[in-house]
Amino acid sequence: MKKVLISIAALAALSTAGFATVNNQTGCGLGSQIIHDDSSAVMLALQATTNGTLGNQTFGVTSGTSGCRKARFVMNERAAEFVASNMDQLSREIAIGQGESVSTLAELLNVQDKAEFAHALQANYNAIYTSEKADMATVLDNVSTIAG
Amino acid sequence: MPFLLLLCALSLSLYAALSDELIAQAHAKKLSETRYWHLLMHTPHQISEVDDPAFFLSPVGKENLSSELDATIRRFSNDINRSNESVFCRFPARRAWIEKELNISFGEGECSEYEALVTKMDPQKVTLVFPSAHINSPASMFGHTFLRIDSSMESKLMSYAINYAAHTDDTNGLLFAYKGLFGGYYGYYSMLPYYEKLKEYRDSESRDVWEYDLNLTRDEVMAMVRHIWELQRMNSWYYFFDENCSYHMLWLAEIARPSVRLRDHFFYHVIPPETVRAFEEEGLVTTKHFRPSKRTKLLAYERALSPQGIHAVRSLGEGNIDTNQTLTDVQDRRYALEAAAELVEYNFIEGKISKELYAQRYHALLSERAALGEGKTLPIPDKSNPDTAHHSARIQITQGWYEKRSPLLIEWRPAFHDLSEDDAGHLLGAQIEFLDTVIGLDRDKVSLEKLTVLSLASIAPVSHFFKPFSWRMKSGWDREYGDDRLSFVTRVGAGAAVGNEQLFGYFLSEPEVRLGFNPDIGLGFSAGGGINWGNRMKSYVESGHIFYLDGVDRSRIILSHLWQWNRSSAVTFSYEASYQLHREDRVKLGANLYF
C-alpha cells in the first residue's frame, strides 16, 4: 500500500495533472497538501526521502502558510505552489531585501528587474504580510499588486 | 464476420512476424550482452539489483537479460495498449535505446503523464548534491547524495531532486542500524522540488549542502530522465554500505553517459563523499557551490554581531526588547533582527516553542527588520569542500616503542574519520570508526592490539546561540589497560565543548565497563582538544583519569600530531603516558595510507 501511495505522491509532486486533481478548487495545490494534510501521500513520500534516519520537521518550517483561497492575481500555478511551500523563507528574504527565494518568485512572475522587485517588496513588507496569519493567496495578491 | 476474424489473425501474425524479426536482429547484434542493456537493467554481474517484479517483463528477467530483452521488444511491437500504464509508456529509456540500436521506430503512444513530467521538469543540466553530516547524528555522518535535474530557469530552487532512500517507519536506532546493514528496508527513488530538499537538509537538519554541477549534455540528461521514469515505482533492497543512496546515483549517471565508469571506483562500500570524488575523477564536475546550513548561518551571525548585538538577539528571540534602545549601529540592528528571526525559526524546528508563538515573533522581527532597509550581506566564511577530505578507508603502519616491547603495528580501518585526523572536508568534531583493527608484530609474535567494533564521537562546541552537548562512545578490544593485556571495554561519555574549526577543546564524563583479564567498572573524566594549524597539520591532546571500583585508578595522557600530506597519505606521531600502579610510556611513529 505504501508503495502505491508513494508512487501516487511522486506523481502528484511532478505532474500538473496530478496537481490539478489534488486541489483543483483552491489553486494552492501541493503547498496546501503538504501543510494541511499530514496523513497525505505527499507526507509519506517526503518521509521516504529523509534517508530513513530521523524524524524530520520539514513541515514545521512552512508553518506560516495557512490559506488555500484562490489569489486574485495569481499569474501561474507554479508561483502559487512555490509561495505556499516557502512562506517563511520568502518572508525573511523580503524583510532582508534580497535572496534566492525572492529571485525565484521574480522569475516565476516574469519580473525583469529583480533588484527593483526585491526593493519594492521590502519597502512594502507590512502591506504584504499584514499579520502573522497572512496566507499564500493574500501574500501573492499583495505581491502582485505591488509588483504590478 | 469470418473476414474480420481473418483480418485480426493476419494482423496479429504480422505483429508477431515483426517482433520475431526484431528479436532476431537483436540477437545477431548481441544487444543483450552490451553494457547499456546491463545498465538499464541495473545488473552489475548476472542478477539485477532491482527487486521489484514489475521492473521485469520476462518472468526470468531478473536473472536472464536476454530473455528480458526479447520480452521487451515483443511488448513494444505487439502491445495494443499504449496509454500511461502500458509497457510502451512505462519504459521510455528501454524504448529509445532499442529504437536506436535496431534503427526502427515503435511508433507513437499516449504517454501523457510522462510527457507532463518532461514538460514540467524541462531537463537541461544535472547537479550532484551532497548534504554533509548533521551534528550529533551518527546516522548522518557519512552524508547523503542525490541528483538535481536543472531546468532552463535561472533559479535552481524550482529544479527537481532525484533521491534514493530507504523507506522506514522504524524509530528504533538499533533496529535501523541492523536492517540498514543486513537488509530489511526497501529503497525507493523519489522526485521532489529542490526547495523541499533544502528545507529538509539545510533547514530542518542543519546540514551544509554542497552542489557539483555536472557537464552532462541535454541529450545525456534526457537519457537519465527517461530511466528515472522507469525506476519511479520500483523498489530494491536498501543496504547502508553498498546499495545505498549514493550508489544508486552512480547508475543514473552511467545511464546518462555510459563511457564513465563510476561504480568501478568502489569495491565493497560506497561512502557518499567518495562518490563526489568519483564524479570528479571521471571528469564530470564543472563548478561547485556551497549552501550553508541554518546552523552555519547562525554561527556567521554570531561572528558578525557585536556583544550587545548577541545579547539583543537572545532577548529578541524571547520576545523582549526593542533594538532601537540598545543598538546604536543600524547594521548591528539589522543583523540582530535577522539572526533573531533565524533563531526563532530554529527553536521552532527544534520543538522548543509553539507554532503560534513562533509565527507571532517571526512576523514582528521581520516587520522591524524590513523597516531598516537594505544592508550588508552576511559574510559566511568558506568551508573546506568535502572533496578535499582524506579518503575514508585507512591502512596505518606504525612502529611502536613501548615499555616492554617494540611492536610493528599494522592497522586496517574501513571507515571513516577520528578526532586526531585532519578535519578538512569533515564536520568538526564528528568521529565515526568502524571495525578498526590493529595487529602487532614483535619478534615473530603476532598479537591483536585493538579491534574496535564501533567508536563514535560528536564534539559539538557550544556558542552564544547553540548549547549542544558533546558525547562519545566506544566499544571494542584494546590493550590500554595495565601491562599491555587485552580486554574488552565499553565506554559512553557526555560533556561539553568549546571552539571552532581552528581550535577546540572538550570535557567529558565517561562511565566505563571493562571485561577480560581484570573486569572492572569505572567512572572517567577526560579533557582534550585539537589545533588545526593550517597546511593540513593537526595536533591533538587528551588527558583523563578513571576511578575504578577496585580502587586502582588510572591516569593517561596522549599527544599526537598528524600531517596530512595529501588525500591519500599522512604522517603521524604520538606519545602516550599512563599511570596505574606504575608509569608506562608509549611512542609511535608511522604513516597513514588512505584509499
Side-chain angles (χ1 to χ4, degrees):
Chain A
M1 188 57 193
K2 269 172 195 154
K3 198 173 101 188
V4 176
L5 284 175
I6 288 161
S7 319
I8 295 167
L11 211 64
L14 283 165
S15 70
T16 26
F19 177 65
T21 49
V22 161
N23 212 333
N24 213 9
Q25 300 307 306
T26 58
C28 63
L30 181 64
S32 68
Q33 275 274 301
I34 290 169
I35 294 132
H36 291 302
D37 189 2
D38 281 2
S39 63
S40 74
V42 177
M43 174 78 182
L44 274 175
L46 278 171
Q47 282 180 343
T49 66
T50 56
N51 211 12
T53 48
L54 297 156
N56 76 83
Q57 290 142 317
T58 307
F59 308 102
V61 185
T62 52
S63 76
T65 316
S66 55
C68 234
R69 189 166 54 81
K70 185 144 185 122
R72 268 176 298 144
F73 298 105
V74 171
M75 315 272 178
N76 57 59
E77 263 180 354
R78 299 197 82 186
E81 191 183 336
F82 177 74
V83 173
S85 273
N86 293 276
M87 288 288 279
D88 295 4
Q89 179 79 20
L90 195 62
S91 69
R92 191 169 61 241
E93 289 181 15
I94 288 177
I96 293 172
Q98 57 172 316
E100 197 177 7
S101 300
V102 176
S103 302
T104 303
L105 183 59
E107 197 178 357
L108 287 168
L109 298 177
N110 286 320
V111 173
Q112 297 304 314
D113 190 339
K114 288 180 184 171
E116 176 54 36
F117 178 71
H119 181 77
L121 297 191
Q122 186 190 41
N124 292 285
Y125 183 88
N126 287 328
I128 299 168
Y129 296 92
T130 45
S131 81
E132 74 258 24
K133 293 194 174 65
D135 61 13
M136 178 279 289
T138 315
V139 168
L140 206 45
D141 263 2
N142 298 338
V143 166
S144 322
T145 313
I146 288 155
Chain B
M1 195 61 184
F3 175 71
L4 201 65
L5 270 179
L6 184 69
L7 200 67
C8 283
L10 200 67
S11 61
L12 272 177
S13 65
L14 266 177
Y15 275 127
L18 175 67
S19 60
D20 285 346
E21 193 187 308
L22 291 176
I23 288 167
Q25 277 181 39
H27 282 243
K29 290 187 79 176
K30 295 189 171 171
L31 281 192
S32 68
E33 291 166 34
T34 58
R35 172 172 162 82
Y36 206 74
W37 183 242
H38 287 238
L39 289 174
L40 284 172
M41 297 307 297
H42 289 235
T43 306
H45 305 294
Q46 302 302 318
I47 298 175
S48 172
E49 285 174 357
V50 178
D51 297 302
D52 197 321
F55 189 69
F56 305 99
L57 301 174
S58 154
V60 291
K62 188 172 162 75
E63 298 86 20
N64 188 332
L65 295 197
S66 172
S67 163
E68 180 67 15
L69 182 63
D70 294 353
T72 305
I73 293 174
R74 194 163 284 126
R75 297 288 295 273
F76 282 154
S77 318
N78 299 355
D79 276 7
I80 313 288
N81 176 9
R82 292 191 165 189
S83 61
N84 283 320
E85 290 305 309
S86 66
V87 166
F88 188 89
C89 291
R90 275 171 52 209
F91 296 100
R94 292 189 196 183
R95 186 152 47 83
W97 177 71
I98 294 170
E99 284 182 343
K100 191 178 113 230
E101 290 297 320
L102 296 181
N103 196 21
I104 46 130
S105 167
F106 289 114
E108 297 296 311
E110 285 163 22
C111 310
S112 56
E113 286 176 6
Y114 170 70
E115 276 150 25
L117 162 82
V118 175
T119 308
K120 192 163 186 192
M121 213 181 221
D122 180 21
Q124 303 291 334
K125 288 274 177 198
V126 173
T127 296
L128 179 72
V129 185
F130 174 74
S132 62
H134 164 39
I135 199 154
N136 272 348
S137 161
S140 81
M141 275 183 189
F142 290 128
H144 178 59
T145 43
F146 63 91
L147 291 168
R148 192 184 74 199
I149 312 277
D150 296 331
S151 69
S152 45
M153 274 185 76
E154 202 181 299
S155 169
K156 301 302 176 214
L157 296 183
M158 300 300 289
S159 302
Y160 278 96
I162 309 301
N163 193 59
Y164 180 86
H167 184 219
T168 167
D169 295 327
D170 290 338
T171 48
N172 181 324
L174 277 177
L175 193 63
F176 174 77
Y178 177 82
K179 284 197 188 171
L181 289 174
F182 302 110
Y185 293 131
Y186 273 129
Y188 289 94
Y189 291 88
S190 63
M191 291 181 242
L192 278 176
Y194 188 48
Y195 58 73
E196 292 294 349
K197 300 308 282 179
L198 287 178
K199 278 196 270 181
E200 181 182 338
Y201 292 112
R202 183 196 59 193
D203 302 337
S204 293
E205 297 186 3
S206 260
R207 296 161 72 165
D208 290 327
V209 175
W210 297 88
E211 298 166 354
Y212 305 86
D213 294 342
L214 306 182
N215 59 13
L216 297 177
T217 64
R218 189 170 182 279
D219 285 350
E220 288 169 334
V221 178
M222 264 315 293
M224 184 188 280
V225 170
R226 284 193 290 263
H227 187 58
I228 290 165
W229 180 257
E230 297 183 334
L231 290 169
Q232 209 189 157
R233 305 161 191 221
M234 304 304 160
N235 61 56
S236 309
W237 288 102
Y238 180 93
Y239 295 95
F240 191 61
F241 272 111
D242 48 11
E243 294 182 31
N244 58 20
C245 57
S246 300
Y247 175 74
H248 285 268
M249 298 303 125
L250 306 180
W251 281 106
L252 293 181
E254 289 189 14
I255 290 279
R257 186 179 290 171
S259 61
V260 301
R261 293 183 177 259
L262 291 160
R263 285 174 300 123
D264 293 357
H265 291 248
F266 305 92
F267 58 98
Y268 69 96
H269 60 7
V270 182
I271 289 182
E274 294 285 345
T275 60
V276 175
R277 279 199 281 262
F279 275 83
E280 288 211 83
E281 282 162 18
E282 292 287 340
L284 284 160
V285 176
T286 54
T287 44
K288 304 171 189 179
H289 312 274
F290 170 55
R291 285 178 189 270
S293 68
K294 189 168 272 305
R295 184 172 172 274
T296 300
K297 215 166 155 191
L298 272 161
L299 291 173
Y301 275 116
E302 286 191 15
R303 279 191 203 95
L305 280 159
S306 68
Q308 294 83 359
I310 285 171
H311 180 73
V313 172
R314 285 203 290 222
S315 299
L316 285 165
E318 287 159 15
N320 302 325
I321 79 157
D322 170 7
T323 55
N324 281 321
Q325 290 165 7
T326 53
L327 300 175
T328 46
D329 179 61
V330 70
Q331 185 56 47
D332 216 21
R333 245 164 49 212
R334 287 190 191 108
Y335 279 155
L337 290 161
E338 291 167 17
E342 290 272 3
L343 194 61
V344 165
E345 191 179 65
Y346 182 84
N347 286 335
F348 172 62
I349 292 168
E350 295 287 302
K352 289 178 190 159
I353 59 169
S354 72
K355 186 173 162 178
E356 289 70 31
L357 204 56
Y358 158 59
Q360 190 195 327
R361 284 183 191 167
Y362 195 67
H363 177 73
L365 288 164
L366 293 180
S367 174
E368 197 179 335
R369 169 63 192 87
L372 297 177
E374 275 156 66
K376 280 191 216 157
T377 306
L378 175 73
I380 296 179
D382 277 347
K383 285 205 175 184
S384 53
N385 195 303
D387 66 13
T388 61
H390 63 75
H391 291 286
S392 56
R394 180 175 88 179
I395 288 175
Q396 186 180 60
I397 298 167
T398 328
Q399 179 60 52
W401 292 275
Y402 293 1
E403 208 70 27
K404 291 174 187 161
R405 57 197 183 107
S406 305
L408 178 69
L409 303 161
I410 299 168
E411 180 227 46
W412 174 69
R413 186 191 68 184
F416 171 65
H417 180 69
D418 74 44
L419 290 180
S420 71
E421 286 176 295
D422 177 42
D423 283 324
H426 285 276
L427 181 70
L428 173 78
Q431 165 173 315
I432 181 164
E433 283 193 302
F434 195 71
L435 295 180
D436 186 18
T437 310
V438 183
I439 301 291
L441 305 175
D442 193 12
R443 294 197 200 96
D444 306 329
K445 259 176 66 185
V446 180
S447 56
L448 177 67
E449 296 289 319
K450 182 161 121 178
L451 173 53
T452 303
V453 180
L454 183 65
S455 161
L456 302 171
S458 176
I459 302 302
V462 298
S463 73
H464 296 294
F465 300 154
F466 300 102
K467 304 281 177 261
F469 74 99
S470 293
W471 58 267
R472 73 177 169 189
M473 68 81 62
K474 179 212 150 141
S475 199
W477 288 264
D478 66 35
R479 288 175 191 270
E480 288 174 9
Y481 191 93
D483 294 334
D484 274 348
R485 284 184 291 181
L486 198 65
S487 55
F488 183 84
V489 63
T490 298
R491 192 186 295 143
V492 183
V498 290
N500 55 36
E501 267 80 7
Q502 282 76 47
L503 180 67
F504 68 91
Y506 59 87
F507 178 83
L508 301 166
S509 159
E510 295 184 292
E512 175 181 301
V513 178
R514 219 165 243 285
L515 304 168
F517 70 95
N518 185 15
D520 211 343
I521 293 174
L523 177 62
F525 295 92
S526 306
I531 307 171
N532 277 311
W533 295 101
N535 295 324
R536 311 196 76 159
M537 302 261 256
K538 183 168 185 180
S539 300
Y540 177 73
V541 59
E542 183 178 293
S543 77
H545 190 87
I546 303 183
F547 301 95
Y548 286 108
L549 274 188
D550 71 2
V552 188
D553 297 354
R554 174 167 168 262
S555 305
R556 181 169 173 251
I557 183 162
I558 180 160
L559 295 159
S560 77
H561 187 79
L562 174 128
W563 179 27
Q564 190 74 39
W565 181 263
N566 55 33
R567 294 193 311 210
S568 310
S569 50
V571 177
T572 145
F573 168 82
S574 75
Y575 166 75
E576 183 184 348
S578 63
Y579 186 89
Q580 187 171 31
L581 298 176
H582 62 273
R583 176 174 161 158
E584 206 179 328
D585 295 276
R586 296 178 189 182
V587 173
K588 285 189 263 183
L589 178 64
N592 292 348
L593 305 168
Y594 298 93
F595 57 98

